[in-house]
Amino acid sequence: MKLLRWGPPDAEKPGLIAADGSIRDLSAEIADLAPARMTPADWDRLHGLDPAALPAVPAGERLGPPVAGVGNIVCIGLNYHDHARETGIPAPPEPIVFNKHTGALTGPAGPVPLPRGSLKMDWEAELAVVIGTRAYAVREQDALAHVAGYCVANDVSERVYQMERGGQWVKGKSCPGFCPLGPWLVTPDEVPDPQALRVWLEVNGRRMQDGTTADMIFPVAFLVSYLSRFMALQPGDVILTGTPAGTGLGHDTFLREGDRIRLGIDGLGEQDQPVTANGAGNGGGH
């Protein structure tokens, strides 16, 4: 299934994509796509619905982040061989783990506002993994059973805040609009191999990133298992799994007002975001 949340910011309703590409309203079946409603049993029940019997959502409705009530955004740095090479940093012996504040969440169409004083705002197309059931000290071979679904994410970063202002990376990762998520949450039955997905991103129509999750240093199942050694992953937690080569940092070029970012992942949909003026509202909603 391809699940989503549609409507005004902070008032989104749940929906799904029907076989004909139309959006169908799920609000009579489930209150929201929230952490307590993303178990395998919940997905089985929704799978049993006839999309044609659900109300159609009018075309052009805004899409919000496809998951409500996200508690944590846990991120992995330098997790693609080609990205490590472009930065000149050796592949890490263990995953580099950091956080984004949930206040960065926005929908797949942004906009992405430049933070005040931004000099090096960057893009990072990433596969996002959404946890569906609590995962603590899980084995790698069992890890994917805890995944509710996958979606596209843009791990927007302000590199000056991240790398030149001291302290933790979270400062450069957490401004409003810095985590566009969606358009859909795609359930695991439609993603049989999360290590076989093409990831791409364009800025102003120029292809900057074009990689594959097969190039990950640490694959998704390992990451879920690894993180669960140090924390109890909760339903609704989002893991951003790293980005392939082609970042602004790798090219020494960064985003400016008026730029347009477009990105996508095979089978998970596309995002399209304008870069807006310093301090503008994110317009995305949680």
Side-chain angles (χ1 to χ4, degrees):
M1 290 183 298
K2 295 179 174 69
L3 302 165
L4 52 80
R5 298 172 66 245
W6 60 277
D10 300 318
E12 293 93 344
K13 297 179 179 181
L16 60 75
I17 302 292
D20 63 0
S22 64
I23 298 176
R24 300 289 171 156
D25 184 4
L26 277 175
S27 57
E29 303 293 336
I30 186 171
D32 206 345
L33 296 174
R37 292 291 180 266
M38 297 192 300
T39 67
D42 291 311
W43 287 175
D44 286 344
R45 185 173 68 83
L46 295 182
H47 267 298
L49 299 175
D50 177 9
L54 299 171
V57 174
E61 285 283 352
R62 169 195 171 272
L63 300 185
V67 181
V70 173
N72 295 284
I73 306 171
V74 185
C75 308
I76 307 298
L78 283 176
N79 193 34
Y80 281 69
H81 291 282
D82 62 358
H83 182 45
R85 286 193 296 270
E86 80 169 346
T87 61
I89 301 173
E94 293 194 34
I96 297 171
V97 181
F98 62 94
N99 286 85
K100 290 176 85 81
H101 192 282
T102 56
L105 282 167
T106 185
V112 178
L114 286 157
R116 298 188 187 280
S118 174
L119 298 173
K120 297 180 180 180
M121 192 166 87
D122 203 350
W123 58 84
E124 294 187 23
E126 306 207 7
L127 172 65
V129 178
V130 180
I131 298 297
T133 56
R134 183 179 184 271
Y136 183 59
V138 301
R139 300 180 303 170
E140 186 172 350
Q141 58 263 44
D142 300 324
L144 296 186
H146 295 271
V147 173
Y150 303 90
C151 50
V152 181
N154 188 356
D155 178 17
V156 183
S157 310
E158 213 307 323
R159 301 299 190 185
V160 172
Y161 295 1
Q162 177 189 356
M163 306 172 77
E164 301 176 29
R165 297 289 298 273
Q168 301 294 317
W169 285 8
V170 66
K171 293 193 302 187
K173 299 283 188 171
S174 298
C175 297
F178 269 29
C179 192
L181 203 64
W184 315 314
L185 175 66
V186 181
T187 52
D189 58 292
E190 295 198 16
V191 188
D193 184 0
Q195 305 311 140
L197 302 173
R198 180 167 157 263
V199 182
W200 59 271
L201 181 144
E202 296 175 351
V203 178
N204 300 329
R206 178 186 175 193
R207 184 62 57 99
M208 303 300 294
Q209 294 186 280
D210 199 346
T212 169
T213 56
D215 192 46
M216 283 185 184
I217 298 168
F218 305 105
V220 171
F222 178 86
L223 290 174
V224 173
S225 175
Y226 179 85
L227 291 171
S228 79
R229 302 176 198 174
F230 306 102
M231 62 193 79
L233 296 168
Q234 302 297 317
D237 284 352
V238 175
I239 302 169
L240 303 191
T241 57
T243 197
T247 61
L249 183 65
H251 288 271
D252 195 29
T253 183
F254 300 100
L255 294 165
R256 297 290 180 262
E257 181 184 353
D259 286 346
R260 190 136 206 133
I261 313 166
R262 193 168 73 93
L263 62 149
I265 298 177
D266 287 352
L268 305 187
E270 298 184 8
Q271 299 185 355
D272 189 345
Q273 300 129 14
V275 177
T276 58
N278 294 356
N282 70 19
H286 282 41

